[in-house]
Amino acid sequence: MLSSENISFENLLLSPHVNSIGYELFIALCKHNELETGFYARPDSTNDQLGYNATKLYLSATMSSYMANASESIDCHSFSSAIKLMLTCGASASIFSTYVENNLIEGANFSDYLSYIGLDRHERISSVAAHYSMIALDGYQNASKAAVASGVIRTPRRKPAGFNDDIFKTCLMNSVQKERLVSLDKLEKVYGTWPLSDQMAAKAVLLGAHHAVTITEGRSYISIYSFLAGLAELCDFSSSTRQLDELIFMPTYTYPTFLDGKSSGSEDGDPDDTFDAKMPHNTGNDAERISTLVNSWTQKQPKLLYSSILLGKVWVRLFYTLNSVSDSLKGSMDKVDALLGLAFTRFSWTIINSVLIEEYRYRNDRDSYDLLVKAKNVNRSARELVSNLGEVKEEFGANIANEIPLTFYLLSCPLLWPFLGKQSSSDSDGEQLYKIVREIICSTSDDIGEDFDAVTLKNGTLINGSELAISALPIMGCFRNK
């Protein structure tokens, strides 16, 4: 039966590369027109598709084996494996069906797409994830709307035409960085002078940042997909005091040639304006503390043995919520809501909430399933995340780290802490989020509370996401003259 699906077994035997798993799964799903949710790899198709059912069962077992091998390794890279599987299996299918399938130029097909993102070879997960950025924003037209799509943000590489500095500075009123940052390159040069919380936020943004070149110009992106890939690669590192800085250099990628989108423009500068060279990083006490916090986090990965079904469900919720949050940001082009700090804050809530809901629902204890059966996704506030976390915390108490380990591990990630505060000075949901996350992560160790406060508080006051210094880097299309 398997032979009828033309699966390349040599790619999946022994210790398969995660890209090979994603590649073979994509080919099978594309053949059967099941890209939307087929990456669950659940053998539930009709009886006349026995070969396809067998293929999905085999691929699901391969994913489980991939997770199990990681969990049994000395360094325990199973969190990394879970993220990689979502990015190669779920994301590759979702991005194609949403942004590629109906926008291919004449003569192009899915093979061009797979080759472009690198799924047909052993590319790093950060490279695979970065290629999604150019695809998601391929249809962006200059200055017509905010350049945000599916958790991907495009930022200028010079002052955009018609940019209104006065409105922008008004929105930055309470930020440490009160002047507009010209580019990601500038952000990398100056963040070492900021307070600890702003430095940590900048590290998170830079971990998800990269560049691309078209025929006529260079472009810059900040991507939640790349951020997640960066977290996965951080967890693959052996202990190193510079592991984070080694990953936040910003590579430059080529632009897709198989899409009927906008591959030329005049907004970002010429294609030679690329910033591949590593910039000097802050080496002071804050830099050492950040490295220590991140290194400590990577060494505490939980042993995850989750199936393709759970990872697929997490991915679907994450993908569609990122799309919804991104769409809502497009209506705030000249307001505080259009600031990078708030955008990344809402994306961070999306990651945590999506994992929380599906991880909780997937547990074996069916008696408590109803607790989050009506749980909602986040969008413009943290209210739903606070509600969902509160209910789960009340049920599990001090055992929460064992019951929802993937969610707990994300809450424990220092790179997400700057984004677990408020959206505004009057945001009571943000206050509640800070309190409940602090209680949860301190359930296993009181020592972490001091570190959490150091990153989430400034002078004893909870961080306001709109005031994070990273917001001085504008989002393309925002704060223009009307």
Side-chain angles (χ1 to χ4, degrees):
M1 289 188 292
L2 288 172
S3 60
S4 66
E5 296 296 314
N6 298 318
I7 293 296
S8 298
F9 291 101
E10 62 273 15
N11 288 339
L12 301 173
L13 296 175
L14 299 177
S15 298
H17 192 279
V18 67
N19 291 13
S20 299
I21 299 173
Y23 178 85
E24 297 299 337
L25 181 60
F26 183 97
I27 296 297
L29 301 183
C30 194
K31 178 180 177 180
H32 292 272
N33 195 29
E34 201 180 7
L35 288 169
E36 187 171 350
T37 58
F39 42 80
Y40 291 0
R42 179 171 49 199
D44 56 358
S45 300
T46 56
N47 291 331
D48 61 347
Q49 294 182 315
L50 296 179
Y52 182 39
N53 276 331
T55 296
K56 288 196 289 186
L57 183 61
Y58 181 82
L59 287 166
S60 177
T62 302
M63 285 186 249
S64 296
S65 177
Y66 178 77
M67 289 282 294
N69 289 339
S71 182
E72 293 170 0
S73 70
I74 295 175
D75 295 325
C76 188
H77 297 158
S78 55
F79 168 81
S80 173
S81 299
I83 297 298
K84 289 178 181 178
L85 284 169
M86 283 191 279
L87 290 173
T88 59
C89 297
S92 65
S94 298
I95 293 291
F96 182 83
S97 60
T98 305
Y99 298 106
V100 178
E101 192 169 20
N102 296 322
N103 296 302
L104 289 166
I105 63 173
E106 185 177 355
N109 57 38
F110 69 84
S111 295
D112 299 295
Y113 164 73
L114 294 177
S115 179
Y116 175 71
I117 65 175
L119 211 60
D120 60 351
R121 55 192 181 277
H122 292 181
E123 289 284 357
R124 288 171 52 179
I125 192 62
S126 57
S127 176
V128 173
H131 284 87
Y132 295 145
S133 300
M134 289 73 81
I135 295 172
L137 280 172
D138 180 59
Y140 173 72
Q141 302 294 314
N142 289 346
S144 62
K145 58 185 177 181
V148 185
S150 192
V152 179
I153 293 169
R154 191 169 146 202
T155 66
R157 293 157 66 101
R158 62 184 185 186
K159 184 177 179 179
F163 187 85
N164 192 313
D165 280 295
D166 292 335
I167 296 177
F168 189 58
K169 286 181 179 179
T170 299
C171 291
L172 291 178
M173 185 181 301
N174 297 317
S175 174
V176 172
Q177 178 69 35
K178 299 182 184 299
E179 297 292 328
R180 175 179 53 86
L181 293 175
V182 179
S183 64
L184 279 167
D185 174 53
K186 184 66 173 177
L187 169 62
E188 192 176 18
K189 288 180 178 179
V190 304
Y191 76 83
T193 63
W194 295 344
L196 177 63
S197 53
D198 288 301
Q199 288 188 49
M200 189 72 84
K203 295 268 190 178
V205 165
L206 291 169
L207 187 63
H210 59 88
H211 304 294
V213 289
T214 71
I215 297 173
T216 61
E217 65 182 3
R219 297 179 178 179
S220 297
Y221 299 86
I222 300 166
S223 163
I224 282 297
Y225 303 134
S226 293
F227 173 70
L228 288 172
L231 293 184
E233 291 194 337
L234 272 173
C235 291
D236 285 341
F237 264 79
S238 58
S239 181
S240 166
T241 57
R242 281 191 53 82
Q243 62 176 357
L244 180 56
D245 283 345
E246 289 170 11
L247 287 175
I248 65 173
F249 80 100
M250 291 176 284
T252 298
Y253 301 96
T254 58
Y255 202 80
T257 59
F258 51 85
L259 291 176
D260 187 20
K262 190 170 182 61
S263 60
S264 63
S266 58
E267 288 293 309
D268 289 333
D270 60 62
D272 293 326
D273 186 22
T274 56
F275 304 121
D276 276 346
K278 291 184 179 180
M279 300 297 169
H281 298 284
N282 180 27
T283 57
N285 291 333
D286 284 343
E288 293 178 6
R289 186 168 191 178
I290 290 172
S291 292
T292 299
L293 286 174
V294 173
N295 287 340
S296 176
W297 174 72
T298 62
Q299 303 306 311
K300 298 176 182 177
Q301 289 187 73
K303 291 186 178 295
L304 305 173
L305 296 174
Y306 290 149
S307 74
S308 61
I309 296 177
L310 173 61
L311 296 180
K313 286 179 176 290
V314 169
W315 174 255
V316 168
R317 184 175 294 275
L318 176 58
F319 181 70
Y320 287 104
T321 309
L322 284 173
N323 289 341
S324 176
V325 172
S326 298
D327 288 343
S328 71
L329 289 167
K330 293 174 183 177
S332 307
M333 291 172 58
D334 60 351
K335 303 174 184 177
V336 173
D337 274 7
L339 293 175
L340 177 59
L342 272 184
F344 215 89
T345 293
R346 291 171 182 170
F347 292 155
S348 299
W349 297 343
T350 296
I351 294 170
I352 296 168
N353 195 58
S354 298
V355 172
L356 168 65
I357 293 173
E358 298 303 338
E359 184 178 33
Y360 177 84
R361 289 179 176 180
Y362 194 74
R363 295 174 57 255
N364 292 327
D365 184 3
R366 308 307 294 178
D367 292 338
S368 60
Y369 179 83
D370 289 344
L371 187 64
L372 293 186
V373 71
K374 296 182 179 179
K376 297 179 180 179
N377 297 325
V378 298
N379 195 316
R380 301 180 68 86
S381 82
R383 186 167 305 158
E384 299 303 334
L385 177 56
V386 170
S387 175
N388 296 336
L389 281 172
E391 291 193 64
V392 174
K393 174 181 171 293
E394 183 176 351
E395 178 179 357
F396 295 141
N399 200 39
I400 193 168
N402 296 322
E403 295 290 345
I404 49 170
L406 183 55
T407 305
F408 182 86
Y409 193 58
L410 284 170
L411 292 173
S412 303
C413 178
L415 289 164
L416 287 172
W417 289 349
F419 310 107
L420 299 180
K422 301 185 294 183
Q423 294 191 87
S424 65
S425 58
S426 60
D427 181 12
S428 59
D429 293 325
E431 293 279 0
Q432 290 301 312
L433 180 61
Y434 157 77
K435 291 178 182 178
I436 195 168
V437 173
R438 194 183 193 283
E439 291 175 4
I440 288 173
I441 64 174
C442 287
S443 64
T444 58
S445 173
D446 291 333
D447 295 338
I448 198 172
E450 181 180 348
D451 293 325
F452 183 68
D453 287 343
V455 177
T456 56
L457 303 178
K458 287 183 183 178
N459 300 319
T461 301
L462 183 60
I463 288 174
N464 182 335
S466 63
E467 297 173 359
L468 285 168
I470 56 172
S471 293
L473 179 64
I475 296 172
M476 181 76 81
C478 297
F479 300 102
R480 293 175 179 268
N481 294 320
K482 295 184 180 179

